[in-house]
């Protein structure tokens, strides 16, 4: 792979291509297939993203991400007016889907996650969970995000509201706003070859280095977690692409889907 789009991929729009530093994105086979990249964006655009994170943290109230998880955050769907809106663009969606080798629907969920210093570690999970989105499948060039009219986790909604059940297809973690991180500072993303009873040992720790990312297809084996013990706050853009439930049932069986 010679760039974020791959050697045989269609040409990216110029405005979009100019955001990238065009370094190599590394495809790794273990502990499960994933892609890792450093210096993802050119310095000027990365600084805009980091500055926007500071503004968002100053002007928005972050709430708990979910039960029994140490992070606080805010959804990307509320950040459409600044540089963070890139992560809700169809161009970014299609790039990530192409790199991951996944056919995705155009439905996107994500947010900013902030782990305060000395946050506890999470638990291993594979992200192969359901996600409900309103309306029909997005058309080419469109993106659809979660809507309060439909509970994204359960599909609960008022009568007459149309919704579709998807499953997470690709997870992306982009690290920003973690200046000066050094080995030993903690807060990595732990990847596991396998998990079982007790305390599984991580096979690989992905450091939260600014302007880097890790992405992977969500499968029954994509075990990962926040490693905790972070000396400083750890900030991440985390997001997921999706695909229809029927595809996952056919490939891995319905019992592979992890309910909330």
């Amino acid at each position: 792979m010679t760039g974020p789009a791959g050697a045989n991929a269609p040409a990216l729009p110029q405005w979009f291509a100019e955001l990238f530093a065009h370094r190599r994105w590394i495809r790794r086979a273990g502990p499960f297939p994933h892609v890792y990249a450093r210096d993802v964006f050119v310095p000027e655009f990365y600084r805009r993203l980091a500055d926007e994170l500071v503004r968002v943290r100053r002007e928005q109230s972050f709430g708990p991400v979910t039960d029994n998880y140490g992070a606080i955050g805010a959804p990307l769907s509320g950040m459409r007016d600044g540089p963070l809106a890139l992560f809700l663009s169809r161009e970014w969606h299609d790039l990530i889907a192409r790199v991951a080798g996944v056919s995705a629907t155009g439905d996107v969920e994500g947010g900013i996650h902030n782990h305060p210093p000395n946050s506890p570690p999470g638990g291993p999970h594979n992200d192969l969970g359901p996600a409900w989105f309103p309306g029909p499948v997005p058309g080419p060039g469109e993106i659809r995000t979660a809507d309060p009219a439909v509970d994204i986790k359960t599909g609960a909604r008022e009568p007459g509201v149309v919704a579709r059940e998807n499953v997470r297809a690709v997870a992306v973690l982009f690290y920003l706003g973690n200046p000066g991180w050094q080995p030993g500072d903690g807060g990595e993303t732990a990847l596991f070859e396998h998990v079982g009873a007790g305390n599984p040992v991580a096979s690989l720790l992905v450091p939260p280095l600014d302007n880097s990312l890790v992405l992977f297809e969500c499968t029954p084996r994509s075990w990962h977690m926040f490693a905790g013990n972070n000396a400083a706050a750890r900030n991440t853009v985390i997001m997921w692409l999706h695909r229809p439930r029927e595809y996952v049932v056919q490939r891995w069986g319905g019992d592979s889907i992890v309910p909330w």
Side-chain angles (χ1 to χ4, degrees):
M1 184 173 180
T2 56
N8 300 317
L12 300 172
Q14 184 174 353
W15 70 267
F16 185 67
E18 289 177 350
L19 300 179
F20 292 89
H22 300 294
R23 302 297 181 93
R24 290 181 181 275
W25 291 26
I26 302 169
R27 193 178 301 277
R28 295 169 170 164
F32 56 81
H34 65 280
V35 172
Y36 178 70
R38 292 277 305 273
D39 300 319
V40 175
F41 298 110
V42 296
E44 179 185 1
F45 187 69
Y46 172 73
R47 282 194 295 271
R48 291 182 60 200
L49 291 171
D51 290 347
E52 181 69 355
L53 172 66
V54 172
R55 186 192 69 79
V56 169
R57 288 288 288 126
R58 184 177 63 245
E59 297 180 3
Q60 291 193 25
S61 297
F62 278 25
V65 171
T66 189
D67 295 338
N68 302 318
Y69 190 56
I72 56 175
L76 280 175
S77 56
M79 305 172 192
R80 296 177 181 273
D81 297 331
L84 290 169
L86 173 81
F87 297 106
L88 296 179
S89 69
R90 185 71 193 209
E91 289 80 4
W92 176 258
H93 172 280
D94 290 352
L95 170 64
I96 295 302
R98 194 159 59 236
V99 169
V102 166
S103 178
T105 59
D107 299 297
V108 176
E109 180 204 4
I112 297 290
H113 285 186
N114 172 279
H115 284 87
N118 300 313
S119 290
H125 54 285
N126 60 18
D127 276 6
L128 198 63
W132 292 77
F133 288 85
V137 176
E142 294 181 337
I143 285 291
R144 185 157 290 113
T145 58
D147 188 303
V150 179
D151 188 310
I152 192 169
K153 295 182 178 179
T154 67
R157 57 195 185 275
E158 295 293 329
V161 176
V162 176
R164 296 165 289 112
E165 184 178 7
N166 289 326
V167 177
R168 288 173 170 175
V170 184
V172 182
L173 293 95
F174 175 73
Y175 304 99
L176 78 169
N178 308 302
W181 187 92
Q182 296 291 327
D185 287 348
E188 300 96 335
T189 301
L191 308 185
F192 299 86
E193 184 173 358
H194 55 76
V195 295
N199 298 311
V201 177
S203 303
L204 182 66
L205 294 174
V206 179
L209 294 169
D210 282 348
N211 202 14
S212 70
L213 67 73
V214 60
L215 70 89
F216 50 84
E217 181 181 14
C218 300
T219 77
R221 292 188 56 245
S222 54
W223 298 108
H224 63 284
M225 74 175 200
F226 171 66
N229 300 314
N230 47 315
R234 192 199 79 165
N235 295 291
T236 314
V237 173
I238 184 165
M239 60 175 295
W240 297 270
L241 312 187
H242 299 81
R243 55 188 163 199
R245 173 188 171 87
E246 293 77 11
Y247 175 89
V248 175
V249 171
Q250 182 177 22
R251 184 173 175 186
W252 293 300
D255 59 356
S256 68
I257 300 172
V258 183
W260 293 95

